[in-house]
Amino acid sequence: MEITVKDLEHISLNDYVLADIRGEVAFQNGYLPGAVLMSREDLEKKLPKDKKVVIYCTRGLISAEVVSDLREKGFEAFHLNGGYVAWLMERFAEQEQAAVVEESLRKRFKKSIFSKFTKAIRTYELVQAGDKIAVCISGGKDSMLMAKLFQELQRHRQAPFELVFLVMDPGYAPENRSLIERNARALDIPVTIFETDIFDAVVNIPKSACYLCARMRRGHLYSKAKELGCNKIALGHHYDDVIETILMGMLWGAQVQTMMPKLRSDNFEGMELIRPLYLVREADIKRFRDSHDLHFLQCACRFTDACSVDGSMASKRTEIKQLIKDMKKTNPLVESHIFSSVENVHMGAVIAYKKDGERIHFLDNY
């Protein structure tokens, strides 16, 4: 019985033993993550019979013979097709893809994406020397692109800063977790993954699940980032998220506010949230994704179907996207006008506003 290098991405080392039988010298020069070195003579003595076993050699020839013997003796054993060489070739292909992606950010997508990314960082002073930033990766197109942009920025940095690429698993299905890990490897993003039980915590309250899940995810990200010594978390919200939020606040929240490019945390002292994709258009992110034939998580939430039915924020955002699309037919500048509206607020021409929690009415000083 055999498995492929791709199959390895879907197995858990809690259920499998990954055994390298190439010898100590070869093992010291490189091995598959999680593998243990075993000699052919020691396999029957050391391998547990209550777990599945994957054996690999250099090219898959010797391991095929070994697995055949082990299966006759009652082991649920598999050999890695192509062996260590096949795994190396897969790694080389991933590294080549990452290099192509990086070059496109420097050339083809420099004006539409990278320059807007750096402009937001300059305009809103998002990154300072000495920062340690937790780049929060959900697995979607926006956060994965943000991670690559930060890597590119660090290569050309004028001031030193550190990066941690942070992935929170709130209870993803195995295939979704695997997709995030595979994309991270393909794009050469060294992710730090930590697990939470957020999905289980909100499973019985579907009507407010989106709001509660978002709040809990933010808290866990802040907490883990601070534990790792970071002073900032970076989220992948883009320009379109900003203008949609403005309209959602007006039409459903009865207030004028926007998604800020940076915020100080009220609950985690010394921590700040930044949004470096603030000026990057979603259409350009999609073009970047499609040009490299990349496939990211769309939505790994257990409540997606319910959200579209119960009128939650997810479905409201969809309505707003369509509204903006319709308005753009008669006013091509509608998106930039919405964005600029919260930069051009005339305080003398509003009936009331809030400042530091206090409501100030125009009649107070009329």
Side-chain angles (χ1 to χ4, degrees):
M1 297 288 290
E2 68 178 33
I3 66 172
T4 67
V5 173
K6 290 291 186 184
D7 293 330
L8 282 179
E9 298 170 356
H10 303 287
I11 71 172
S12 168
L13 293 181
N14 293 324
D15 304 319
Y16 283 77
V17 173
L18 184 58
D20 186 321
I21 60 170
R22 294 174 301 143
E24 186 171 354
V25 174
F27 188 82
Q28 293 300 325
N29 284 314
Y31 54 88
L32 272 65
V36 292
L37 176 63
M38 291 189 186
S39 66
R40 293 183 62 175
E41 295 74 21
D42 287 342
L43 288 175
E44 292 181 43
K45 302 175 186 176
K46 295 183 177 181
L47 288 176
K49 284 196 174 182
D50 61 341
K51 282 190 174 184
K52 297 177 182 179
V53 178
V54 177
I55 310 290
Y56 72 88
C57 60
T58 302
R59 296 185 179 275
L61 301 177
I62 297 174
S63 60
E65 298 175 6
V66 170
V67 163
S68 180
D69 292 339
L70 288 173
R71 294 185 76 87
E72 289 179 3
K73 295 172 181 175
F75 290 91
E76 191 172 0
F78 305 84
H79 89 95
L80 180 61
N81 186 27
Y84 183 70
V85 170
W87 180 80
L88 273 183
M89 294 303 293
E90 184 72 19
R91 290 288 295 148
F92 290 149
E94 291 171 350
Q95 291 169 2
E96 182 178 348
Q97 183 179 19
V100 170
V101 166
E102 290 159 7
E103 184 179 21
S104 76
L105 290 175
R106 292 190 293 268
K107 295 181 178 179
R108 180 180 175 186
F109 293 98
K110 181 178 180 179
K111 182 177 180 180
S112 60
I113 294 180
F114 187 67
S115 293
K116 291 183 178 179
F117 171 78
T118 56
K119 181 181 179 180
I121 287 174
R122 291 192 309 271
T123 302
Y124 305 115
E125 300 177 357
L126 303 183
V127 178
Q128 281 81 36
D131 279 343
K132 185 172 184 180
I133 303 168
V135 181
C136 300
I137 299 174
S138 66
K141 66 184 189 313
D142 308 323
S143 59
M144 283 289 191
L145 170 62
M146 178 176 65
K148 291 308 297 178
L149 289 167
F150 263 117
Q151 286 181 323
E152 196 63 27
L153 181 68
Q154 197 173 44
R155 290 189 183 98
H156 303 91
R157 63 188 178 192
Q158 296 178 346
F161 63 91
E162 296 181 61
L163 297 172
V164 175
F165 299 100
L166 196 59
V167 175
M168 181 186 65
D169 182 346
Y172 289 135
E175 58 271 21
N176 290 327
R177 165 98 173 234
S178 177
L179 177 60
I180 294 173
E181 293 172 334
R182 187 163 66 248
N183 280 330
R185 288 195 300 272
L187 294 173
D188 195 25
I189 302 170
V191 294
T192 297
I193 302 177
F194 71 103
E195 299 175 353
T196 69
D197 59 356
I198 291 176
F199 282 175
D200 289 336
V202 300
V203 69
N204 294 318
I205 42 176
K207 288 203 171 181
S208 57
C210 291
Y211 172 77
L212 182 59
C213 181
R215 290 293 299 266
M216 292 178 69
R217 286 159 79 101
R218 186 77 55 84
H220 279 288
L221 287 169
Y222 268 125
S223 181
K224 187 64 176 180
K226 191 164 187 176
E227 176 189 321
L228 295 173
C230 300
N231 65 312
K232 292 179 179 178
I233 65 171
L235 302 184
H237 297 118
H238 48 66
Y239 183 96
D240 296 74
D241 290 325
V242 176
I243 62 176
E244 290 159 13
T245 299
I246 295 170
L247 286 187
M248 288 171 69
M250 293 173 63
L251 302 181
W252 278 286
Q255 58 188 342
V256 177
Q257 65 175 22
T258 189
M259 182 181 283
M260 298 297 287
K262 64 179 179 180
L263 289 168
R264 291 191 180 94
S265 172
D266 293 329
N267 301 316
F268 295 86
E269 186 177 355
M271 295 292 293
E272 191 174 45
L273 179 155
I274 61 174
R275 295 184 169 103
L277 296 183
Y278 204 76
L279 302 178
V280 178
R281 298 304 308 266
E282 185 177 26
D284 292 321
I285 297 175
K286 289 179 177 178
R287 276 191 284 272
F288 166 81
R289 176 199 63 192
D290 296 342
S291 71
H292 294 292
D293 194 26
L294 295 169
H295 302 277
F296 300 115
L297 282 183
Q298 296 300 312
C299 180
C301 177
R302 297 179 189 174
F303 312 103
T304 303
D305 293 337
C307 287
S308 63
V309 173
D310 70 11
S312 71
M313 295 304 285
S315 63
K316 288 181 175 65
R317 191 169 289 275
T318 301
E319 290 181 43
I320 287 293
K321 283 181 180 290
Q322 186 60 48
L323 177 62
I324 293 173
K325 184 177 179 180
D326 291 341
M327 290 191 294
K328 194 175 178 180
K329 294 175 183 177
T330 55
N331 180 7
L333 299 177
V334 67
E335 292 157 310
S336 62
H337 287 175
I338 296 170
F339 186 91
S340 298
S341 68
V342 291
E343 294 182 330
N344 297 314
V345 178
H346 296 279
M347 302 306 295
V350 295
I351 294 173
Y353 63 93
K354 291 182 180 179
K355 184 176 182 181
D356 299 328
E358 180 185 358
R359 186 173 186 270
I360 301 172
H361 198 275
F362 87 102
L363 288 178
D364 295 342
N365 299 303
Y366 185 74

